[in-house]
Amino acid sequence: QNNAPNTFTDAQTGIVFNSWGIPNGSPQSQGGWTFGMALPSNALSTDATEFIGYLECASKDAAGWCGFSLAGPMTNSLLITAWPHGDTVYTTLRYAGGYSMPDKYAGNAEITQIRSSKNATHFSLVFRCRNCLKWDHNGSTGQASTSGGVLVLGWVQAFPSPGNPTCPDQITLEQHDNGMGIWGAALDEKVANPSYTAWAAKATKTVT
Ligand code: HEM
């Protein structure tokens, strides 16, 4: 995937994202995978504690899940998992000590949603993630530092839906089957926007 960011504006919300991903049609992941990030206006000089995220993930017959790691590897990093069910896109914050079903994240991070959508081949979610760029899972700590100008992130994509899909704290997952990887996500000046505060205020929907 790209290291230098693409920049796009989400048509429905006007939010400007730096984005990275796997193109649709790539052999690494059927359907592709896209992640976008928007940050507070001073994030390239002072580490941000939160971001607005954009996820667009492949899905077959409205099933599947995808996610990313805020440090790169699956282990010892804050993990965000998202999946569609009915008219809703659900999320859960997770943390894994090993390569098995991640635990529910024990820290105080919180996701609120701005918009979501799905069609026959993809689902997407625009969300605010507060306290997500520094983590503490029962004493295991880490950080994604925005002032450094580059993040190391991990992506993952899977076609089977989670078990218990309407109960994010209690989902079950099988090992992902549609690609994964780690990449360096360079940030450019368009990621940090004076409108961040106004955009973040639109994240009023809590899905639990
Ligand atoms: C990699 C298992 C859930 C993110 C891996 C690998 C295994 C694994 C065995 C290494 C595979 C290889 O190198 O060939 C599992 C199992 C899961 C699970 C059994 C659940 C039952 C998740 C979740 C996320 C995630 C929920 C994030 C939201 C990643 C990422 C990688 C990865 C980013 C690639 C980076 C790395 O190797 O650390 N997973 N995983 N996984 N997993 Fe998972």
Side-chain angles (χ1 to χ4, degrees):
Q1 60 277 58
N2 52 309
N3 299 111
N6 297 319
T7 297
F8 77 95
T9 302
D10 178 53
Q12 287 180 47
T13 60
I15 299 174
V16 180
F17 293 97
N18 269 185
S19 78
W20 308 267
I22 310 296
N24 194 351
S26 139
Q28 288 168 276
S29 184
Q30 283 179 56
W33 182 96
T34 304
F35 172 62
M37 181 178 258
L39 290 168
S41 58
N42 64 351
L44 294 176
S45 54
T46 302
D47 282 337
T49 59
E50 66 168 78
F51 64 92
I52 295 173
Y54 171 96
L55 264 181
E56 186 188 57
C57 298
S59 140
K60 277 186 188 158
D61 302 325
W65 63 270
C66 69
F68 59 102
S69 157
L70 280 158
M74 174 173 158
T75 49
N76 301 317
S77 166
L78 185 56
L79 304 173
I80 294 176
T81 306
W83 65 96
H85 187 84
D87 291 332
T88 303
V89 173
Y90 292 83
T91 58
T92 180
L93 289 151
R94 296 275 161 170
Y95 203 90
Y99 287 97
S100 54
M101 180 67 200
D103 296 335
K104 186 176 170 236
Y105 174 58
N108 67 347
E110 187 189 6
I111 289 177
T112 45
Q113 300 192 3
I114 298 175
R115 71 162 190 85
S116 65
S117 63
K118 69 170 188 185
N119 61 28
T121 60
H122 290 84
F123 67 96
S124 67
L125 177 67
V126 178
F127 62 99
R128 178 185 190 186
C129 205
R130 264 180 286 185
N131 296 317
C132 291
L133 295 174
K134 214 174 189 183
W135 49 90
D136 182 345
H137 180 73
N138 300 324
S140 174
T141 59
Q143 182 181 8
S145 164
T146 62
S147 65
V150 63
L151 305 176
V152 179
L153 302 175
W155 66 275
V156 65
Q157 168 81 59
F159 282 130
S161 287
N164 302 327
T166 59
C167 208
D169 284 356
Q170 288 169 32
I171 57 162
T172 56
L173 296 174
E174 293 166 35
Q175 185 170 336
H176 30 87
D177 64 352
N178 187 30
M180 69 192 160
I182 297 179
W183 87 102
L187 306 171
D188 74 16
E189 69 287 347
K190 299 216 178 71
V191 79
N193 200 298
S195 297
Y196 183 88
T197 309
W199 294 336
K202 297 180 185 181
T204 51
K205 184 175 175 185
T206 305
V207 175
T208 52

